[in-house]
Amino acid sequence: MSRYIGKRLLQMIPILLVVAILIFTLMYFVPGDPVQIMLGDNATQEQIEETRAAYGLDKPYLVRLVNYLAGICRLDFGTSYMQGTSVGSELMLRFPNTLTLAAFSILFTIVIGIPIGIQCAIHANKISDKIWMFLTMLGNSMPGFWMALMLVLLFSVKLKLLPSNGAESLKYFILPVVANSIGSLADIVRQTRSSMLEVIRSDYVVTARSKGISERNVIWKHALPNALIPIITLCGSRFGAMLGGTVIIESVFSIPGIGTYLVNGINSRDYPIVQGSIIYIAFIFAFIMLFTDLIYAYVDPRIKAQYVSAAPKKG
């Protein structure tokens, strides 16, 4: 297993390298001059040239790219043009808020979605199943920003029960978590239902029932573990997407996370912020997918056996 983990960690290096090159190239060719935005319209040409030289923006593309990649290897994401602060330090300060939002969102999705999906599979094609399937399609069709605004209007403006912005305590994350989870919750319900329907019709489930095992044990101890692989895959990808895709939710609720930091960087043409945020998110997503693969081995002994058999034998 340790050999597999080491191999996967090494595979992350070229992936992150390609991401860094792509995002740097895209930002290099994006229209707009960050120095002009930084200094304003009243800046002289001499001031603009001096600022470009100070930030190394007067150098050719390849020179700037090599310098940037060298900085990334030293875990140096550069300095913000507009704020003058270290991008790496800002990302570390903001990451806990983004992680809190994503973690509670995926936890809410799993705790609510999997039991509903199981019940839908058990009562397939009955009225309760049809109602839940309709609700999941409705949840998939509602944009996250619209749901966020509706929740703010109802629970913050009208009922005054929950705060509408900030991240001062866990109470401030209730509305963002619900808004961030609706689409993923619908997908988890549908995936769980589909996976469970395939499993509960299997021969070993029929055999377990014929032995007099209670229906509860048949579902939770025999059927569910064998239906978990596609569910885990979806949960892992959704968690990664939540970490990188909370831009709109963080903006609506004014949460000082990586998403808000990225939006501000894009609006102000602050290239180091945009580049650093994207690379940071890419690394987190790759690490989450590695963790998802390790959960596979824990849930399914057959996958763990493949890792063991792939390891070199001693002696």
Side-chain angles (χ1 to χ4, degrees), residues 113-126 128-134 136 185-201 224 227 230-231 234:
I114 291 180
I116 293 176
I118 292 174
Q119 291 301 313
C120 288
I122 294 173
H123 304 288
N125 299 321
K126 295 183 179 179
S128 60
D129 176 40
K130 292 179 180 179
I131 291 174
W132 279 116
M133 288 301 98
F134 171 76
T136 57
L185 179 62
D187 289 338
I188 293 295
V189 170
R190 297 175 70 87
Q191 181 62 67
T192 302
R193 178 185 183 274
S194 176
S195 299
M196 287 296 294
L197 280 176
E198 293 181 7
V199 172
I200 61 178
R201 296 167 181 167
L224 181 59
I231 299 173
L234 182 59

Side-chain angles (χ1 to χ4, degrees), residues 94-111 113 173 176-188 233-251 255 257-260 262 281-282 284-285 288-289:
R94 292 169 178 269
F95 178 66
N97 289 327
T98 299
L99 179 61
T100 300
L101 175 57
F104 278 108
S105 296
I106 196 63
L107 182 62
F108 177 80
T109 299
I110 292 172
V111 171
F173 284 93
V177 165
V178 174
N180 197 37
S181 303
I182 296 299
S184 298
L185 179 62
D187 289 338
I188 293 295
T233 302
L234 182 59
C235 289
S237 62
R238 279 296 182 177
F239 185 40
M242 286 175 178
L243 280 169
T246 57
V247 174
I248 295 176
I249 301 299
E250 288 183 3
S251 299
I255 297 175
I258 294 178
T260 306
L262 176 60
I281 291 170
I284 295 169
F285 188 85
I288 288 173
M289 296 316 296

Side-chain angles (χ1 to χ4, degrees), residues 68-86:
Y68 183 73
L69 294 178
I72 293 297
C73 293
R74 300 191 303 269
L75 300 180
D76 179 11
F77 292 93
T79 303
S80 168
Y81 295 156
M82 307 301 168
Q83 302 173 13
T85 57
S86 169

Side-chain angles (χ1 to χ4, degrees), residues 34-36 38-39 43-58 81:
V35 174
Q36 188 70 52
M38 200 179 354
L39 298 179
T44 64
Q45 188 63 34
E46 182 180 356
Q47 291 175 323
I48 292 175
E49 295 300 330
E50 288 179 356
T51 305
R52 282 204 181 104
Y55 284 96
L57 299 177
D58 58 336
Y81 295 156

Side-chain angles (χ1 to χ4, degrees), residues 149-161:
L149 293 174
M150 292 302 102
L151 290 173
V152 169
L153 289 175
L154 178 59
F155 291 98
S156 297
V157 178
K158 189 172 182 62
L159 299 179
K160 301 186 184 302
L161 294 176

